[in-house]
């Protein structure tokens, strides 16, 4: 009896179609277009209109700088050798921190831009303390922010050096604190994973893939932060600010918390602070120093880039340090 048969190789697994965020976004856009008349009628409520305006304003202000950040992140991954970045920073982390803080002057972006760049620096072998100092300094000490502050506070020129020193001091102190107390285990493994060589791919392909990945990941958390900011603006009446003028300690605390929840772009927050003319300069300085260092959208971005364990420790410490540094700078300059 002869048994004949055909020997077949291993069967290839069928490719499964997965729903990604891009398909979800396209579906929501199509649904919104089909139901736009119904949505206009349902959402025609003053509170919802206010919240929608705030949400759109936060996202529109931040998105160009987020795009700038992911483009720089992709450029670092594709075109800047890891050895060059490591040579540019002092080997001593305590010295690398102020150098990284001053390097933030060269990047005209907001906190949304600095998060993907800081993560890319870590992945390229830069010490986490130096990358975090850059993350905090870049949104607050760059020329665009300083010029906007000078224009907004043309009648109070000392606000510019006060903001610069307070923000730079915040970045350096947090970098040094991380050098002393920070642990690598608090940062998600994906943020510390070294970037492999280009695997034969072109540098432009690496650039495009890195920028696309960072934009999709960071953009979702930006939207989440915008939602929190919109909800706060709807629920908290602005008239409460009028009672703070004569209570400096309470005004400092409230303005620090307001900076966290408003989540303004660092290029625009000086004009908001200037409009609060009922308050003394010191609480408004606290607002300008705390905002670029820690706000709801920045915490969300940090949680996405570095992990929730990191954000739960880093954000509260940054808040305390930023308030203290703003008070010291204000005492010197104002």
């Amino acid at each position: 009896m002869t048994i004949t048969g055909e020997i077949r190789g291993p069967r290839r697994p069928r490719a499964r179609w997965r729903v990604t965020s891009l398909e979800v976004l396209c579906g929501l856009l199509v649904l919104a277009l089909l139901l736009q008349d119904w949505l206009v009628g349902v959402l025609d409520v003053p509170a919802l209109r206010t919240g929608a305006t705030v949400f759109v304003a936060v996202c529109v202000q931040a998105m160009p700088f987020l795009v700038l950040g992911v483009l720089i992140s992709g450029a670092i991954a594709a075109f800047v050798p890891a050895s060059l970045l490591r040579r540019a920073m002092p080997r001593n982390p305590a010295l690398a921190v102020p150098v990284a803080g001053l390097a933030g002057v060269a990047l005209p972006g907001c906190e949304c831009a600095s998060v993907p760049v800081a993560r890319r620096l870590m992945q390229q072998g830069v010490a986490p303390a130096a990358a975090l100092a850059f993350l905090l300094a870049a949104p607050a000490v760059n020329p665009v922010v300083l010029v906007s502050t000078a224009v907004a506070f043309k009648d109070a020129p000392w606000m510019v050096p006060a903001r610069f020193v307070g923000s730079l001091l915040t970045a350096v102190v947090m970098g040094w604190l991380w050098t002393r107390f920070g642990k690598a285990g608090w940062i998600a493994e994906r943020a510390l994973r070294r970037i492999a060589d280009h695997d034969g791919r072109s540098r432009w392909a690496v650039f495009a893939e890195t920028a696309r990945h960072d934009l999709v990941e960071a953009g979702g958390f930006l939207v989440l932060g915008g939602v929190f900011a919109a909800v706060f603006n709807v629920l908290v009446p602005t008239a409460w600010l009028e009672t703070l003028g004569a209570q400096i300690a309470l005004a400092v605390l409230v303005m620090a918390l307001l900076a966290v929840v408003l989540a303004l772009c660092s290029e625009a927050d000086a004009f908001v602070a200037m409009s609060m003319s009922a308050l003394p300069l010191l609480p408004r300085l606290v607002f300008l120093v705390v905002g670029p260092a820690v706000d709801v959208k920045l915490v969300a971005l940090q949680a996405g880039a570095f992990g929730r364990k990191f954000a739960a420790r880093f954000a509260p410490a940054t808040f305390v340090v930023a308030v203290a540094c703003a008070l010291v700078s204000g005492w010197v300059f104002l």
Side-chain angles (χ1 to χ4, degrees), residues 4 11 37 44 81 90-91 131 138 178 202 212 224 230 279 294 305 310:
T4 61
R11 301 179 66 181
D37 294 334
D44 191 17
R91 292 186 178 182
W178 184 269
S202 72
R212 183 202 63 79
L224 180 62
L279 296 176
V294 52
F310 168 86

Side-chain angles (χ1 to χ4, degrees), residues 36-45:
Q36 58 180 332
D37 294 334
W38 177 80
L39 288 174
V40 168
V42 171
L43 300 178
D44 191 17
V45 179

Side-chain angles (χ1 to χ4, degrees), residues 286-307:
V286 171
F287 178 84
L288 295 178
V289 172
V290 171
V294 52
D295 61 35
V296 289
K297 76 173 182 297
L298 181 57
V299 173
L301 289 168
Q302 290 176 355
F306 305 112

Side-chain angles (χ1 to χ4, degrees), residues 176-297:
W176 282 338
L177 287 177
W178 184 269
T179 302
R180 177 66 179 84
F181 301 106
K183 298 179 181 179
W186 294 346
I187 302 178
E189 186 273 338
R190 64 179 179 274
L192 295 176
R193 188 187 306 132
R194 292 293 182 87
I195 300 174
D197 293 333
H198 302 312
D199 303 327
R201 294 180 294 168
S202 72
R203 294 183 181 272
W204 286 107
V206 174
F207 168 78
E209 176 60 24
T210 301
R212 183 202 63 79
H213 176 272
D214 287 350
L215 180 61
V216 171
E217 185 174 84
F221 288 97
L222 171 61
V223 171
L224 180 62
V227 170
F228 279 117
V231 171
F232 175 84
N233 276 269
V234 171
L235 297 180
V236 178
T238 56
W240 288 7
L241 290 176
E242 299 175 359
T243 64
L244 299 176
Q247 305 180 47
I248 188 68
L250 181 60
V252 166
L253 178 60
V254 170
M255 289 299 286
L257 295 174
L258 196 63
V260 173
V261 295
L262 281 182
L264 296 173
C265 185
S266 57
E267 277 75 16
D269 58 359
F271 298 95
V272 176
M274 180 269 299
S275 68
M276 301 175 184
S277 55
L279 296 176
L281 287 177
L282 184 59
R284 288 189 277 175
L285 174 64
V286 171
F287 178 84
L288 295 178
V289 172
V290 171
V294 52
D295 61 35
V296 289
K297 76 173 182 297

Side-chain angles (χ1 to χ4, degrees), residues 129-140:
L132 295 176
F134 176 84
L135 183 152
L136 295 175

